[in-house]
Amino acid sequence: MRYIPYDEVVKAVKNLIAYSASNLPPDAIDALKKAIEKEKSPVSREVLKQILENADIASSETRPLCQDTGLAVFFVKVGEDVKIEGGTLKGAINQGTEEAYRENYLRASTCEPFSRANLKDKIGYNLPAIIHFDLVEGDKIEIEYAAKGGGSENVSRATVLPPASGKEGIIQFVKEVVSNGGGNPCPPLTVGVGIGGTFEKSAISSKHALFRDIGSKNPDPELAELEAILLEELNKLGIGAMGMGGTQTVLAVHIEANPCHIASLPVSVNIQCHSSRHSHITI
Amino acid sequence: MGNSYHLTTPLSNDEVEKLKAGDIVYFTGVLYTARDAAHKRLVELLEKGEELPFPLEGAVIYFVGPTPPKPGEPIGSAGPTTSYRMDSYSPTLIKHGLKGMIGKGKRNQAVKDACVQHKAIYFGATGGAGALLGKRVKSSEIIAYPELGPEAIRKLEVENFPVTVINDTYGNDLYQQGRELYEIK
C-alpha cells in the first residue's frame, strides 16, 4: 500500500486549476491557429484572432481566459493500492478547488437550483466540484480536470435512439444539437459524443471525450472514421466563430463508445466552447 | 467583412443608422453593465415612471458578470454573457432611449423589431475573450444595486472595446445571414 499525504493532493489540484484558468493548453492553441488558416469568413477570422490574442494576454498577465471559470469537473482514476493519509481523496479535491478558485480571483459559479442563491458561503467557494471516480490497478492517482462553463453545457443533449438508427441516426442527432446551439456555446467547439452504455454512461462518456487532446486521433479506426465524417458534416452548418457565419464551427469531434443493451442505442453530445481549459496530473 | 468604426458613447440616431450587420465597432466612453436581475428592476422603475440610476438616452448596456478584480485593478475578466435572458426586458429599455446592447447569442423577434422601430443596435462581443475585454476597461464603479453582487449595475469607462454589429436598424441579423452565406446543404 502506498500512502499519499492529503496536502499533496490539495496542492496538486490547486496547481491544475490555477494554471488552467489562464493558460489555454497547446492542443487548443494549435487547433485555433489551424482554424484561422482554414476559415473563409473575414468576420470569423477576426473573432479567432481576438481569441488567440486573449490567450496571450491571459497567460502573460495571469488573468482568467474567460469570466466563466466554470464548475470544476474531475475524472479521477484511483489505484487500488493507494491510500490518502490525513483525510479523504474527495475532501482533498474539494479543498483544492475551493482554495484555487478563491485565491486566484476566479468566479464562484455554483448555486441552488431553485432559489439560484450562490453557494459560496453555504457549501464553499465554487463547491461542490463534480468528481467522477474510477478504481484501477496500481498505486497511483490520475487526476484529469476541466473548467466547464455554462454556455456550452446549456446546449448539450442526451437521447436514446432505436438501435436501427445506426450511424446515420447518430450523425443526425449530433448535427441537430450543434445546429440548434448556433453561436450560444461560443464556437469553434469541441464536440464530445458518448455512444452506447446506459443513459447516464453515455452522458459521462461524452464529457470524458472532451478531456482528450483536441484533434488527437481516436485509436479505434471505426470511431476515427466516424469522427472525421462528423467533423466534415458539422462544418457544413456555416455557424462559424461565435455564430457570425463561417466554415470553422467545430475544431474536433471526440467519440467514446461503450457496449450497450441489445434494445438501446444511447447517444449523448457534450459541447465544449473554444476556451477548452483542461489539464491532468498523475500522483 | 463590413466597415470598421470608432464610436464614443452615448450614441446618436445618426451614428446608429450608419451601422450594418457585420461592421466592427470600437467603443470608447461609458458602458453600463446589467444582467437579468438589474434589467428587471430597471423595467419596473420605467413602468412606475421613476428615474433610472443612469441616463438611458443614447446609452449602451453590456451584459456581463465579471470575475472578481485582482487588488488594484478595475475589473477581472469581463466577456459577454448569453443575451436571450434579457429578451423580455430589452424592448422596453429601447423604447425609452437605449441605443446599444452588447452580449452574445441570438435575440428574439421582439428585440429585433424594437431595434428597427426605435433605432438601436445589438452588438456581439467575443465570448471567452474575457482577459482581452477586461483590459479595455479603464475604470469601474458600482452605481446601483450593490446587493446584487456580480449583477450590480456598474459604470465602465472603456477604450477601444471591440464589438461586431449583429442586429442593425434595418432588420439585418448577422447570425442568420452570416450562417446562410457559409452553410453547405
Side-chain angles (χ1 to χ4, degrees):
Chain A
M1 186 64 72
R2 177 180 167 228
Y3 292 89
I4 300 175
Y6 177 86
D7 289 346
E8 193 180 327
V9 179
V10 173
K11 203 173 147 197
V13 167
K14 280 178 80 170
N15 287 341
L16 279 183
I17 294 172
Y19 189 80
S20 295
S22 48
N23 293 281
L24 206 53
D27 59 301
I29 300 230
D30 286 350
L32 289 164
K33 283 184 177 161
K34 282 182 192 149
I36 286 201
E37 284 168 24
K38 285 189 268 182
E39 178 56 65
K40 292 201 172 73
S41 152
V43 182
S44 270
R45 273 206 303 273
E46 195 56 37
V47 171
L48 289 167
K49 270 188 219 160
Q50 280 186 22
I51 291 170
L52 282 166
E53 193 189 337
N54 182 67
D56 276 349
I57 294 171
S59 170
S60 62
E61 301 184 14
T62 323
R63 291 168 182 269
L65 284 150
C66 178
Q67 75 287 343
D68 187 348
T69 48
L71 294 195
V73 180
F74 295 91
F75 281 88
V76 185
K77 286 194 182 119
V78 189
E80 301 218 30
D81 301 324
V82 66
K83 194 156 170 43
I84 303 299
E85 211 169 21
T88 63
L89 180 54
K90 191 173 171 182
I93 292 171
N94 273 309
Q95 188 179 328
T97 299
E98 169 160 41
E99 289 180 12
Y101 273 78
R102 190 190 292 279
E103 291 169 15
N104 293 286
Y105 305 97
L106 310 183
R107 203 173 72 182
S109 303
T110 50
C111 74
E112 282 179 346
F114 302 121
S115 72
R116 311 305 293 176
N118 198 288
L119 289 170
K120 64 183 172 185
D121 298 321
K122 197 170 173 186
I123 297 181
Y125 199 91
N126 210 40
L127 293 188
I130 308 292
I131 313 172
H132 305 285
F133 286 107
D134 194 9
L135 278 176
V136 296
E137 280 182 16
D139 63 357
K140 292 190 166 48
I141 297 176
E142 187 192 332
I143 302 175
E144 294 178 288
Y145 160 77
K148 200 65 184 66
S152 54
E153 286 290 281
N154 287 348
V155 302
S156 299
R157 294 288 180 267
T159 190
V160 183
L161 297 173
S165 302
K167 282 183 190 161
E168 276 310 309
I170 292 168
I171 291 168
Q172 198 51 41
F173 180 63
V174 178
K175 274 178 82 169
E176 266 170 39
V177 173
V178 174
S179 179
N180 291 341
N184 286 12
C186 291
L189 312 169
T190 311
V191 178
V193 185
I195 300 173
T198 46
F199 182 71
E200 87 288 1
K201 177 80 177 170
S202 77
I204 293 169
S205 295
S206 72
K207 171 78 74 205
H208 190 246
L210 297 174
F211 284 61
R212 222 173 92 194
D213 277 357
I214 297 175
S216 58
K217 202 167 168 60
N218 196 313
D220 181 321
E222 190 179 12
L223 296 182
E225 191 194 349
L226 186 54
E227 286 177 358
I229 293 169
L230 274 167
L231 180 64
E232 196 184 331
E233 284 299 311
L234 294 173
N235 279 331
K236 286 182 188 168
L237 292 171
I239 295 167
M242 290 309 299
M244 297 190 185
T247 59
Q248 303 300 304
T249 306
V250 172
L251 300 171
V253 179
H254 293 170
I255 302 175
E256 283 195 14
N258 304 288
C260 57
H261 192 284
I262 48 172
S264 319
L265 180 56
V267 183
S268 296
V269 182
N270 196 197
I271 302 293
Q272 170 64 53
C273 66
H274 61 73
S275 197
S276 179
R277 293 151 289 175
H278 60 99
S279 54
H280 61 90
I281 188 172
T282 302
I283 307 172
Chain B
M1 192 159 55
N3 297 315
S4 167
Y5 298 96
H6 285 80
L7 294 180
T8 305
T9 60
L11 300 178
S12 67
N13 270 348
D14 285 352
E15 285 169 320
V16 162
E17 283 180 349
K18 72 181 174 190
L19 298 176
K20 297 267 172 62
D23 287 348
I24 289 180
V25 173
Y26 296 91
F27 275 124
T28 296
V30 170
L31 306 177
Y32 296 98
T33 74
R35 292 168 55 117
D36 327 24
H39 270 77
K40 188 162 183 269
R41 295 193 188 192
L42 293 175
V43 167
E44 281 166 4
L45 288 177
L46 285 172
E47 281 166 357
K48 282 190 248 165
E50 290 175 21
E51 202 179 330
L52 297 190
F54 62 91
L56 205 50
E57 192 54 49
V60 179
I61 292 183
Y62 182 24
F63 307 147
V64 61
T67 56
K70 286 194 215 170
E73 294 190 356
I75 203 164
S77 283
T81 192
T82 310
S83 307
Y84 72 84
R85 298 195 309 270
M86 273 55 78
D87 280 357
S88 53
Y89 308 113
S90 293
T92 306
L93 298 179
I94 293 169
K95 205 163 86 184
H96 286 85
L98 180 72
K99 287 289 157 212
M101 300 156 284
I102 304 171
K104 71 177 177 86
K106 283 176 266 194
R107 309 306 305 271
N108 69 10
Q109 196 57 44
V111 176
K112 295 186 216 174
D113 290 347
C115 284
V116 174
Q117 199 184 342
H118 303 287
K119 310 293 174 208
I121 302 277
Y122 171 53
F123 301 93
T126 300
L132 181 151
L133 294 170
K135 254 193 104 173
R136 305 286 169 97
V137 176
K138 299 302 161 187
S139 74
S140 164
E141 179 196 350
I142 293 181
I143 57 162
Y145 317 135
E147 67 278 11
L148 293 180
E151 297 214 38
I153 295 186
R154 288 174 169 80
K155 181 182 177 183
L156 307 182
E157 298 268 359
V158 301
E159 253 176 50
N160 291 321
F161 190 93
V163 297
T164 306
V165 177
I166 305 293
N167 297 112
D168 60 23
T169 59
Y170 304 96
N172 292 308
D173 183 344
L174 182 65
Y175 289 141
Q176 210 177 316
Q177 289 157 342
R179 186 167 169 175
E180 278 163 10
L181 211 55
Y182 294 97
E183 188 171 11
I184 301 165
K185 285 187 178 166

